[in-house]
């Protein structure tokens, strides 16, 4: 517990303090003051952005000068009911957060505890004395996004919309774009999207049930549910979303697919929408893609350094086929776009055949597959080969014709990247043979295979050390034999930061297989058993389960996640 100190903070000139401590020079302060006039930001933030002072160093000096603690919010276990006592508008305006109540005073973390006006307004808003702590602004903003979920706002807007719709039919004029900003339906959708962006959800599910509407968000690969009693608002939500996506609003019997762009909290989000008729109305699933995230960097996809170097080396070969495999939602697209970003140079012609195009990449010719009009992967791929490409990306090899064209393209001077739905790297090359491609062609074309999964990270706030139980020890022995380690592992206890799940964020687990002569020979003979043996004996090859287990031993993820990725039955 932090002792209360409710005196009003003294006014401190941060520039003078930093000069006094020898952290910055007079010339740096003068330059920062000029930049501050142009940007309108606070002086402290300007000095940090100019790299004249490290944020932690400045905050530590403020902490000592004011006699208040410097808290790391990443390590703080928040109490939702305490945080919510400070209104979100006030918290965001003054970069402040309510942390805990001590002896009748509220401990408030602030990015700028010298702001006397903010101190007075926060005290008035809380109607009680406050004591201050200094915190990092980046950690504070992240915590605000996590803690001020829009659950209550969504419920309130849903009730308002339900009352408005009661007893009358839908009027399409209510959903005209000119009046959308004023309509409760637009404000409800805005709140749903803002809540999803705040918690970094990848998908939003709207599912009408017999008497309720379920709104579910997929966060770190796991669905989180909110149940709304106002089921009658479901058709209105679906209608509005169909209009935004350019779909047929009168068609309710058949599935439809569409997409639209939305600006949410200064992020441009590309929304891919799918509708499905169910017994209680149309279900809608929306995939959220953040277009403001910038180009994907291959160094940030999560591969270990040694594996990434071998992967990049394969990418820069003049020709050949590189496959990325894994289930839906395992990060294959991220890996492929990272590879394309690395290859994207003025001297290379890159063409893609995708379904759908998820991210817009400069200088790359991206073609959308449209099977309804006969523009399937095979047709697009044939046309691409007449466009003089150096690199081809095939979104997915689904059939024999596409597989044969991709393999022959790889054998005729093109680098071809594609995905394949198999469980691991070892079975991918044999899968092409199963699809009807001759083994000798596969042996000559395929250069490397990447298999991947996403595992959840242990929450960095509530992670704790524990000793595996007898079941987990048996699994470790099954994987590692007598070399099974006796060391302890980690898991999350559950806290407010991770929504009591014990996990926060995800990391990629990869299996990288380079085709050597032994494996190529097995492919020519169509021998799956010999290919598997040659793969297991190849240099640098690490199976997925062992790669995931290494993360568990390092305290990054849990043994439970290792079991899920490895698809091994528990003993």
């Amino acid at each position: 517990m932090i002792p209360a100190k409710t005196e009003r903070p003294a006014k401190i000139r941060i520039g003078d303090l930093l000069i006094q401590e020898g952290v910055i020079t007079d010339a740096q302060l003068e330059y920062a003051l000029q930049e501050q006039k142009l940007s309108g930001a606070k002086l402290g933030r300007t000095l940090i952005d100019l790299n004249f002072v490290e944020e932690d160093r400045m905050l530590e000096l403020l902490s000592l000068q004011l006699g208040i603690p410097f808290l790391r919010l990443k390590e703080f276990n928040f109490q939702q009911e305490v945080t919510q006592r400070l209104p979100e508008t006030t918290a965001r305006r003054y970069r402040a957060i309510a942390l805990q109540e001590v002896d009748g005073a509220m401990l408030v973390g602030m990015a700028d505890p010298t702001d006397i006006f903010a101190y007075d307004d926060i005290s008035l808003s809380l109607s009680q004395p406050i004591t201050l702590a200094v915190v990092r602004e980046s950690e504070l903003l992240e915590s605000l996004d996590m803690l001020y979920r829009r659950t209550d706002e969504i419920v309130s807007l849903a009730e308002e919309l339900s009352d408005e719709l009661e007893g009358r039919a839908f009027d399409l004029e209510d959903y005209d774009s000119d009046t959308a900003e004023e309509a409760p339906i637009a404000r409800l959708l805005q709140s749903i999207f803002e809540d999803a962006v705040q918690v970094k959800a990848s998908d939003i599910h709207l599912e009408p049930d017999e008497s309720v509407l379920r709104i579910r968000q997929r966060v770190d690969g796991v669905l989180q549910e909110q149940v709304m009693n106002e089921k009658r608002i479901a058709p209105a939500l679906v209608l509005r979303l169909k209009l935004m996506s350019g779909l047929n609003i009168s068609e309710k019997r058949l599935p439809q697919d569409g997409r639209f762009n939305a600006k949410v909290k200064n992020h441009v989000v590309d929304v891919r929408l799918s509708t499905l008729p169910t017994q209680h109305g149309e279900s809608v699933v929306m995939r959220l893609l953040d277009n403001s995230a910038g180009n994907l960097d291959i160094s940030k996809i999560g591969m270990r350094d040694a594996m990434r170097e071998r992967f990049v080396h394969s990418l820069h070969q003049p020709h050949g086929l590189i496959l990325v495999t894994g289930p839906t939602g395992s990060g294959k697209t991220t890996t492929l776009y990272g590879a394309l970003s690395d290859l994207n140079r003025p001297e290379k012609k890159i063409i893609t055949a995708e379904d759908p195009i998820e991210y817009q990449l400069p200088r790359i010719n991206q073609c959308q597959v449209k099977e309804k009009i006969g523009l399937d992967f095979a047709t697009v791929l044939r046309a691409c080969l007449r466009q003089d490409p150096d690199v081809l990306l095939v979104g997915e090899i689904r059939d024999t014709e596409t597989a044969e064209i991709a393999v022959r393209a790889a054998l005729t001077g093109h680098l071809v990247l594609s995905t394949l739905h198999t469980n691991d790297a070892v079975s991918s090359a044999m899968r092409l043979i199963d699809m009807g491609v001759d083994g000798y062609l596969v042996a000559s074309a395929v250069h490397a295979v990447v298999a991947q999964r996403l595992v959840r990270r242990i929450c960095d706030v509530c992670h704790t050390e524990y000793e595996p139980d007898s079941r987990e020890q048996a699994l470790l022995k099954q994987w590692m034999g007598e070399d099974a380690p006796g060391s302890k592992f980690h898991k999350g206890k559950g806290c407010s930061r991770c929504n009591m799940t014990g996990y926060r964020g995800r990391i990629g687990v990869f299996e990288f297989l380079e085709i050597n002569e032994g494996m190529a020979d097995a492919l020519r003979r169509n021998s799956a058993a010999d290919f598997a043996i040659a793969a297991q004996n190849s240099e640098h090859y690490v199976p997925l389960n062992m790669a995931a287990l290494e993360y568990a031993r390092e305290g990054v993820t849990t043994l439970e996640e290792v079991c899920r990725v490895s698809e091994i039955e528990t003993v």
Side-chain angles (χ1 to χ4, degrees):
M1 182 175 289
I2 298 172
K5 180 184 177 183
T6 58
E7 293 91 347
R8 199 165 183 253
K11 183 65 178 176
I12 291 180
R13 294 171 64 90
I14 188 65
D16 293 341
L17 175 62
L18 294 173
I19 288 178
Q20 177 186 325
E21 295 293 329
V23 178
I24 63 172
T25 65
D26 289 325
Q28 287 175 324
L29 176 59
E30 185 64 30
Y31 183 79
L33 288 170
Q34 293 175 6
E35 289 293 314
Q36 182 196 16
K37 289 178 183 178
L38 296 174
S39 66
K42 288 182 177 289
L43 178 59
R45 174 49 51 188
T46 303
L47 288 165
I48 293 167
D49 291 342
L50 290 171
N51 294 319
F52 288 165
V53 60
E54 292 183 358
E55 185 172 15
D56 282 7
R57 175 64 172 147
M58 186 180 74
L59 297 181
E60 286 167 358
L61 286 175
L62 275 176
S63 172
L64 289 171
Q65 190 73 17
L66 294 171
I68 61 176
F70 172 29
L71 295 182
R72 309 272 183 177
L73 292 184
K74 283 192 173 180
E75 301 168 1
F76 194 86
N77 195 0
F78 295 95
Q79 296 177 308
Q80 192 88 21
E81 64 275 10
V82 172
T83 304
Q84 297 290 337
R85 287 169 62 178
L86 183 64
E88 182 180 3
T89 52
T90 304
R92 292 190 181 277
R93 179 181 179 186
Y94 295 121
R95 298 291 195 264
I97 187 167
L99 299 173
Q100 65 183 34
E101 195 166 11
V102 182
D103 299 330
M106 181 65 74
L107 175 65
V108 176
M110 293 185 67
D112 180 12
T114 66
D115 190 335
I116 296 173
F117 296 107
Y119 178 92
D120 292 339
D121 277 3
I122 292 170
S123 298
L124 186 64
S125 179
L126 291 170
S127 301
Q128 69 181 120
I130 65 172
T131 179
L132 298 180
V134 61
V135 298
R136 292 185 61 139
E137 184 174 4
S138 58
E139 292 181 0
L140 185 142
L141 292 174
E142 182 183 355
S143 299
L144 292 180
D145 283 346
M146 175 191 66
L147 292 164
Y148 284 99
R149 295 291 301 272
R150 299 178 180 270
T151 304
D152 293 339
E153 179 181 323
I154 291 171
V155 171
S156 175
L157 287 168
E159 291 175 349
E160 179 184 344
L161 178 62
S162 180
D163 292 341
E164 182 178 299
L165 296 174
E166 187 173 10
R168 68 179 180 85
F170 296 120
D171 185 349
L172 291 185
E173 292 182 359
D174 289 344
Y175 306 101
D176 185 78
S177 59
D178 294 332
T179 61
E181 291 299 320
E182 301 175 0
I185 189 71
R187 287 186 282 124
L188 174 57
L189 283 173
Q190 185 72 14
S191 293
I192 291 172
F193 281 119
E194 287 182 357
D195 185 50
V197 169
Q198 282 184 191
V199 297
K200 297 180 173 60
S202 60
D203 302 84
I204 301 173
H205 297 234
L206 304 179
E207 302 172 348
D209 210 331
E210 185 175 2
S211 57
V212 298
L213 171 66
R214 301 181 192 279
I215 300 178
R216 302 204 280 177
Q217 299 173 342
R218 191 174 296 279
V219 181
D220 293 338
V222 178
L223 287 171
Q224 299 177 0
E225 183 176 86
Q226 182 178 0
V227 179
M228 320 286 293
N229 291 322
E230 292 73 19
K231 187 206 168 184
R232 66 168 67 93
I233 70 173
L237 283 172
V238 175
L239 174 61
R240 177 65 190 163
L241 289 168
K242 281 184 173 180
L243 286 169
M244 294 167 67
S245 306
L247 301 182
N248 183 354
I249 60 175
S250 63
E251 180 57 77
K252 300 179 181 180
R253 300 167 300 169
L254 297 174
Q256 296 188 69
D257 296 312
R259 68 192 305 165
F260 60 90
N261 289 324
K263 189 171 183 179
V264 184
K265 296 177 71 65
N266 297 320
H267 291 263
V268 178
V269 179
D270 184 20
V271 183
R272 282 168 36 199
L273 179 142
S274 172
T275 69
L276 179 70
T278 70
Q279 72 270 36
H280 299 299
E282 290 181 278
S283 170
V284 175
V285 175
M286 292 174 282
R287 169 67 56 89
L288 309 182
L289 301 167
D290 189 352
N291 284 336
S292 62
N295 288 341
L296 295 165
D297 188 340
I298 197 169
S299 66
K300 298 178 181 177
I301 63 175
M303 276 189 182
R304 304 266 188 182
D305 290 344
M307 182 184 293
R308 187 178 69 250
E309 288 174 6
R310 297 198 303 276
F311 181 47
V312 171
H313 176 74
S314 297
L315 289 175
H316 288 276
Q317 298 303 303
H319 55 80
L321 176 59
I322 298 176
L323 297 171
V324 180
T325 183
T328 301
S330 61
K332 299 188 299 296
T333 300
T334 302
T335 299
L336 285 175
Y337 276 89
L340 288 183
S341 296
D342 186 76
L343 292 166
N344 194 0
R345 300 287 185 273
E347 64 271 16
K348 287 187 180 292
K349 171 87 168 187
I350 303 176
I351 306 179
T352 73
E354 304 174 65
D355 184 22
I357 297 172
E358 296 197 3
Y359 294 98
Q360 308 289 333
L361 297 175
R363 199 188 290 118
I364 293 178
N365 297 274
Q366 297 173 266
C367 183
Q368 170 71 55
V369 169
K370 297 178 181 177
E371 294 190 355
K372 290 182 180 179
I373 61 172
L375 194 63
D376 56 18
F377 277 110
T379 302
V380 173
L381 199 49
R382 285 195 206 91
C384 289
L385 288 171
R386 295 191 290 270
Q387 293 281 309
D388 187 29
D390 297 294
V391 180
L392 286 168
L393 182 144
V394 185
E396 183 183 347
I397 295 178
R398 297 176 179 172
D399 53 58
T400 302
E401 187 178 13
T402 305
E404 288 180 341
I405 297 172
V407 166
R408 293 187 182 278
L411 292 172
T412 54
H414 305 90
L415 179 68
V416 182
L417 310 178
S418 188
T419 67
L420 200 62
H421 279 284
T422 55
N423 291 329
D424 53 35
V426 174
S427 59
S428 295
M430 295 304 303
R431 172 66 180 142
L432 292 177
I433 296 176
D434 292 341
M435 293 175 73
V437 183
D438 291 332
Y440 70 92
L441 293 177
V442 176
S444 301
V446 179
H447 282 187
V449 184
V450 177
Q452 65 183 85
R453 300 288 190 278
L454 291 175
V455 296
R456 291 180 290 173
R457 288 178 176 268
I458 299 172
C459 175
D460 55 0
V461 174
C462 64
H463 68 93
T464 183
E465 197 176 73
Y466 83 105
E467 189 169 347
D469 58 26
S470 58
R471 180 186 62 84
E472 291 169 331
Q473 288 285 3
L475 281 172
L476 289 172
K477 190 171 182 179
Q478 176 183 338
W479 288 325
M480 304 183 68
E482 297 302 324
D483 294 331
S487 60
K488 293 183 179 179
F489 288 78
H490 293 78
K491 63 181 179 180
K493 294 185 295 185
C495 65
S496 58
R497 185 172 286 275
C498 63
N499 199 27
M500 303 307 295
T501 63
Y503 298 99
R504 191 160 181 264
R506 290 189 291 178
I507 188 171
V509 177
F510 296 88
E511 177 181 282
F512 184 64
L513 184 65
E514 294 174 281
I515 306 301
N516 59 25
E517 187 54 39
M519 286 180 266
D521 183 61
L523 289 172
R524 294 186 192 99
R525 292 183 284 107
N526 292 359
S527 175
D530 289 348
F531 182 84
I533 292 171
Q536 295 290 342
N537 294 332
S538 65
E539 188 179 9
H540 304 305
Y541 174 70
V542 179
L544 269 173
N545 64 327
M546 297 305 292
L549 182 60
E550 191 60 31
Y551 276 130
R553 294 174 67 179
E554 294 172 0
V556 176
T557 191
T558 63
L559 287 173
E560 178 186 11
E561 284 290 280
V562 176
C563 293
R564 183 177 63 83
V565 167
S566 305
E567 299 176 353
I568 292 177
E569 294 293 330
T570 57
V571 293

